[in-house]
Amino acid sequence: MGIRVIGTGSYLPPKVVTNDDIARSLDTTDEWIFSHTGIHSRHVAGEGESSATMGAKAAQAAMDAAGVKPEEIGLIVVATSTPDYNPFPSTACLVQDLLGCVNAGAFDLQAACAGFVYALEQARGFVNFYPDKKAIVIGTESLTRVMDWTDRSSCILFGDGAGAVVLANDEPAGAASLKTTARTILGADGKGAHFIARSGGCKDALPFDPVTGVPMKGEPVLPAMSLQGHDVFAFAVRSLAKVATDLCEQKGLETEALDRVFAHQANARIIEATARRMKLPLEKFWLNLETTANTSAASIPISLDQAVRSGKLTDGMKIVMIGFGAGLTYGGTYCTWPNL
Ligand code: UT7
């Protein structure tokens, strides 16, 4: 069987904010938002909730589904652009503590909305060489905390939540990768780094003079997200369709052979355009952003979990998971579910 997903889980915070709620304080309408994005509402992390607590809940659900104990986990990879701290300690270490995974290494991975696909590949490599250990891959985001809530073209797009999978391997060390039928493509285009950005990192920090201890001159930077929607839209449609088509080509498959496509849930129009480019019916694409909005690195594992629990993702299905995001990053994995 080799490397496979043995459990999925997800968590969406109970607080829901609709487009109409947002329209009370912003010059927008439910009609505009839904017709341009496919979004009606989003979940929003409440008091006491964070990327770490939501990630831990999703991971616990995945461990329960897999029947795995915390001590069996050897690695926790958390894909997030909204870590609890900026940037350390990692959110993964907080999750490790919350779950009691005392034998696990833990680290965060930042590849924005493509983060889950990147993280899955890291964990796949780990269990390939340490088959006695299991790995948890988590995508978790509290993006509503970093929005500019006066910018109607970006704040309406995002929501909070988390998704997770547990990976196991029953082949000897190194053997699974030689037999795998899965394929992954990871890519980046740093020329588009300014298309989606959030300042407030070390580049923009106000440093102290190391000799005098006096703060150097400058203005603190407001850490809110900026987004060039048109440029991101065009990149998304180009990269999602190309990654999925290339993965099929590498497998010697026509795209029609795919049973399901789990694309990053950024905008329904992006997914529709991707379906058209791939000449696939939209019914093959998982769509949940009407009620989740864009949950960045969490969107693909939330979708996987919803599909598994509703019986719409079953063993033997040929699927691709495809994502794109800030960086710019993109990537995809083809597999015959649940084998990696
Ligand atoms: O995970 C990756 C994260 N990023 C993305 O996924 C973003 C991808 N891009 C998109 O989803 C779309 O580009 C947006 C939804 C952000 C914008 O949609 P659009 O169809 O490209 O709209 P636009 O930017 O061309 O704006 C059209 C008009 C503008 O008005 P004017 O200048 O034509 O008078 C905007 O000011 O719509 C206006 N507008 C709005 N009106 C009402 C922009 N946002 C809103 C709004 N409500 N929320």
Side-chain angles (χ1 to χ4, degrees):
M1 293 229 278
I3 300 165
R4 66 202 185 283
V5 177
I6 58 166
T8 64
S10 60
Y11 176 79
L12 291 167
K15 183 173 171 187
V16 170
V17 173
T18 65
N19 294 343
D20 284 332
D21 293 333
I22 295 177
R24 283 193 202 104
S25 55
L26 202 63
D27 180 17
T28 188
T29 59
D30 176 52
E31 195 279 326
W32 191 98
I33 300 172
F34 186 70
S35 61
H36 285 74
T37 67
I39 297 165
H40 261 315
S41 61
R42 71 282 296 137
H43 293 259
V44 173
E47 209 179 319
E49 290 192 304
S50 68
S51 293
T53 67
M54 293 189 292
K57 284 191 170 145
Q60 186 62 60
M63 281 180 3
D64 292 346
V68 162
K69 295 193 193 69
E71 311 85 64
E72 294 175 64
I73 304 297
L75 184 71
I76 299 172
V77 189
V78 171
T80 186
S81 299
T82 45
D84 281 26
Y85 292 86
N86 183 18
F88 51 82
S90 72
T91 301
C93 283
L94 306 177
V95 170
Q96 185 249 6
D97 183 43
L98 287 168
L99 294 175
C101 293
V102 289
N103 298 315
F107 68 95
D108 286 1
L109 183 151
Q110 211 293 87
C113 306
F116 179 76
V117 174
Y118 271 67
L120 191 66
E121 197 58 9
Q122 303 308 304
R124 198 159 80 95
F126 176 80
V127 295
N128 180 40
F129 286 107
Y130 302 95
D132 55 321
K133 297 172 196 291
K134 296 179 174 53
I136 304 179
V137 185
I138 302 170
T140 183
E141 301 284 9
S142 40
L143 282 151
T144 64
R145 302 249 168 100
V146 298
M147 287 301 118
D148 175 353
W149 283 99
T150 64
D151 177 8
R152 66 180 183 172
S153 63
S154 62
C155 71
I156 48 116
L157 297 172
F158 296 94
D160 301 334
V165 299
V166 180
L167 299 191
N169 179 16
D170 60 3
E171 291 282 346
S177 61
L178 303 174
K179 300 179 187 169
T180 182
T181 55
R183 298 286 307 181
T184 290
I185 293 172
L186 301 179
D189 180 6
K191 285 199 169 45
H194 57 286
F195 288 175
I196 318 174
R198 185 189 174 213
S199 55
C202 296
K203 172 180 169 292
D204 301 311
L206 276 185
F208 284 80
D209 185 307
V211 178
T212 62
V214 173
M216 290 176 166
K217 287 201 175 106
E219 290 296 321
V221 182
L222 183 72
M225 176 193 285
S226 64
L227 172 73
Q228 293 182 25
H230 274 283
D231 297 313
V232 178
F233 196 104
F235 167 75
V237 177
R238 259 195 333 269
S239 59
L240 288 181
K242 178 158 173 39
V243 167
T245 308
D246 286 355
L247 285 168
C248 287
E249 233 174 72
Q250 290 176 14
K251 291 296 304 172
L253 294 172
E254 299 295 327
T255 52
E256 293 83 56
L258 294 172
D259 296 303
R260 289 222 180 281
V261 179
F262 291 92
H264 167 48
Q265 306 284 308
N267 183 324
R269 287 165 53 209
I270 291 175
I271 295 179
E272 285 157 14
T274 304
R276 278 197 299 278
R277 278 195 172 209
M278 290 177 66
K279 300 191 175 60
L280 282 184
L282 193 58
E283 293 69 46
K284 289 201 174 185
F285 286 71
W286 194 260
L287 269 171
N288 62 10
L289 47 55
E290 182 169 350
T291 54
T292 62
N294 179 346
T295 57
S296 191
S299 90
I300 292 177
I302 290 172
S303 300
L304 290 175
D305 185 49
Q306 291 177 342
V308 166
R309 285 174 196 264
S310 59
K312 292 184 176 141
L313 174 55
T314 51
D315 290 6
M317 280 188 165
K318 295 182 177 63
I319 68 162
V320 286
M321 303 168 245
I322 43 177
F324 70 94
L328 298 165
T329 55
Y330 58 92
T333 293
Y334 164 88
C335 75
T336 308
W337 184 262
N339 297 307
L340 290 166

